[in-house]
Amino acid sequence: MTSKDFKEFFLALEDLEKEKGIPKEIFLEALENALVSACKKQYAGAVGTVEIKTNYEKGTMDFYTVRTIVEEVTDPENEISLDDARTLKKSYKLGDKVREKLIPKDFSRIAAQTAKQVILQKLHETERDRAMNEFSDKEGELLVGVVRKIDGKNVYIEIGKGQIEGLMLPSDQVPSEKYVVNQKIKVFVKRVKSGARNAQVLVSRSAPGLVRKLFEEEVPEIKQGTVVIKEISREAGARTKIAIYSEDERVDAIGACVGNKGARVNAVVEELRGEKIDIIPWSENPLEFIAKALSPAKVISVTQLDGEKTAMAVVPDDKLSLAIGKDGQNARLAVRLTGWKIDVKSESVASSLNLDNEEEFDENDDLLTDIKDIEENVEE
């Protein structure tokens, strides 16, 4: 690069500063560091410290080798004797720095290539950092993205006007879902991780937070805070249990979430591609909550057993398989939802057991509300 080339380069940096808002000093510092590195690589073993002096007004960049004056030279690349230094300038003394101009071979080609690489890299890094800053407060949010690449088991999703690439790891994918390039998809932002080289947005389709955000979108009462989502347990692609509560006794939490003719819950189910959803009314009475959590099965009674948070739920003989669920899924989700260990027994088996525990909850208690309405709105 000639003096004219450098002037044009500096003018280009001013244009970038106006267009992208990136200070030209950032480019210059990066370019100087890159050129020093390229110069040292070209003269490997021949030069030690290299400095660049930039004259922005004149449009020049000059290279200098820098050596320290010492009594006895042990590192020729970085040191020079007092006698040798004084052949260059008689006023030199021990400890002074000797700077000698260096003209790298094929400098124009090296400088041009390096400048191009630095500009592209800095543009990419700056735009990425800006986009990451915009996403720093997006954790826990629901975003719409487009599948751009499937690499092995990882799915890469373009979000945020194409400036950020979200990564969906295998553990955040739904086993029953198939992802294809250019597919539009809603994702839950799990974590925004920013670093010098590994800025990342981790997104998920399997997180319970996705279900929470979908209900917030569909149910105004949830967004307003009238209806509260207390707990969610989920086995992505198969079934979700969501416990809800109304802060206003005049508002029917179940009805709000189900919607007119099931419109609201069906919209969530459609987005989850057929995943079953059990909407459970939350109760501060843990035994009542357990009874409801085993929906769609009808529960006869729930008894607290010895041990912390351990209970036995009794169901009709013909509802035992429904209460437990395929491969134990329904009972497993109820355990996660309530935080209690639940032993599900059929009525005939339970009747043969001798339990002496006053903490019991049965279907005739006033505390237990009829869950028939829930069963009508939930697909078994």
Side-chain angles (χ1 to χ4, degrees):
M1 292 175 74
T2 62
S3 177
K4 180 182 177 182
D5 292 330
F6 272 117
K7 285 182 180 179
E8 292 177 354
F9 174 70
F10 293 150
L11 288 173
L13 293 186
E14 289 183 351
D15 291 338
L16 279 173
E17 185 171 17
K18 293 175 184 176
E19 182 183 345
K20 300 290 186 179
I22 307 172
K24 57 181 176 289
E25 288 77 16
I26 292 178
F27 287 107
L28 283 173
E29 182 182 358
L31 177 60
E32 288 177 1
N33 291 336
L35 287 173
V36 166
S37 179
C39 183
K40 292 181 74 171
K41 185 177 180 180
Q42 188 180 39
Y43 290 92
V47 297
T49 303
V50 176
E51 289 182 358
I52 293 181
K53 186 177 180 181
T54 302
N55 189 316
Y56 189 80
E57 305 243 340
K58 293 182 180 179
T60 59
M61 267 188 171
D62 294 319
F63 287 73
Y64 295 89
T65 60
V66 182
R67 290 183 291 175
T68 303
I69 301 174
V70 295
E71 287 186 1
E72 185 178 350
V73 176
T74 57
D75 180 7
E77 290 183 27
N78 295 291
E79 297 173 344
I80 186 173
S81 67
L82 181 61
D83 290 340
D84 288 341
R86 283 180 172 170
T87 62
L88 301 173
K89 191 166 75 172
K90 292 184 178 180
S91 60
Y92 275 134
K93 58 184 181 297
L94 289 173
D96 285 350
K97 302 290 184 182
V98 176
R99 289 173 173 81
E100 295 179 89
K101 196 166 185 178
L102 174 69
I103 301 178
K105 297 175 184 177
D106 202 10
F107 173 68
S108 295
R109 181 182 62 81
I110 294 173
Q113 289 179 347
T114 305
K116 181 179 179 181
Q117 290 171 358
V118 165
I119 287 177
L120 291 175
Q121 182 180 350
K122 277 297 171 185
L123 279 174
H124 174 73
E125 288 177 359
T126 304
E127 289 179 354
R128 179 204 63 198
D129 290 344
R130 281 183 175 175
M132 288 300 297
N133 288 335
E134 290 178 11
F135 272 81
S136 61
D137 61 348
K138 297 295 184 183
E139 285 188 8
E141 294 296 319
L142 188 68
L143 298 176
V144 177
V146 178
V147 177
R148 287 305 184 204
K149 183 175 66 173
I150 299 174
D151 184 8
K153 294 183 178 180
N154 294 329
V155 178
Y156 295 87
I157 299 170
E158 179 185 292
I159 51 180
K161 300 179 182 179
Q163 293 185 337
I164 285 292
E165 187 176 67
L167 170 62
M168 187 159 63
L169 298 169
S171 59
D172 288 308
Q173 299 167 27
V174 179
S176 59
E177 291 184 348
K178 183 178 180 181
Y179 309 106
V180 294
V181 174
N182 294 326
Q183 174 187 7
K184 202 170 184 180
I185 193 171
K186 287 184 178 180
V187 293
F188 177 74
V189 181
K190 283 183 65 177
R191 186 157 59 103
V192 178
K193 185 173 70 172
S194 182
R197 294 179 178 270
N198 60 346
Q200 246 179 13
V201 177
L202 298 179
V203 299
S204 177
R205 285 281 298 174
S206 66
L210 177 69
V211 179
R212 181 184 293 272
K213 287 298 176 181
L214 289 173
F215 269 101
E216 285 182 6
E217 278 192 343
E218 297 295 333
V219 183
E221 291 86 349
I222 292 178
K223 186 167 284 189
Q224 294 163 4
T226 307
V227 174
V228 179
I229 298 175
K230 288 288 191 177
E231 299 290 343
I232 296 178
S233 62
R234 185 185 185 202
E235 292 195 0
R239 196 176 209 106
T240 286
K241 288 184 182 289
I242 176 171
I244 58 170
Y245 175 78
S246 177
E247 297 282 0
D248 186 342
E249 60 183 14
R250 296 170 298 178
V251 176
D252 175 16
I254 297 290
C257 291
V258 171
N260 186 29
K261 296 182 180 180
R264 291 175 176 176
V265 69
N266 287 339
V268 175
V269 170
E270 184 178 355
E271 175 60 35
L272 297 178
R273 303 181 189 181
E275 185 173 317
K276 296 179 177 66
I277 297 177
D278 296 339
I279 302 174
I280 310 296
W282 179 84
S283 173
E284 62 183 9
N285 182 313
L287 302 184
E288 181 186 7
F289 188 28
I290 289 170
K292 295 173 180 179
L294 287 168
S295 172
K298 184 75 172 180
V299 176
I300 296 173
S301 67
V302 180
T303 305
Q304 183 172 0
L305 304 177
D306 290 336
E308 187 177 354
K309 289 191 172 183
T310 302
M312 183 180 73
V314 179
V315 299
D317 289 12
D318 62 348
K319 298 296 182 182
L320 181 62
S321 61
L322 181 62
I324 295 174
K326 185 179 180 181
D327 298 324
Q329 182 186 81
N330 193 61
R332 188 164 57 247
L333 287 172
V335 167
R336 294 177 191 166
L337 191 73
T338 62
W340 279 60
K341 181 179 179 181
I342 306 170
D343 186 9
V344 183
K345 299 289 187 184
S346 66
E347 187 175 13
S348 59
V349 171
S351 64
S352 66
L353 300 175
N354 183 20
L355 295 175
D356 183 17
N357 194 316
E358 293 181 357
E359 293 296 325
E360 185 174 16
F361 179 81
D362 65 49
E363 65 174 344
N364 297 316
D365 286 343
D366 292 337
L367 289 171
L368 179 57
T369 57
D370 190 353
I371 60 173
K372 183 178 179 181
D373 291 338
I374 303 172
E375 292 175 352
E376 291 176 351
N377 290 313
V378 178
E379 183 180 357
E380 293 187 12

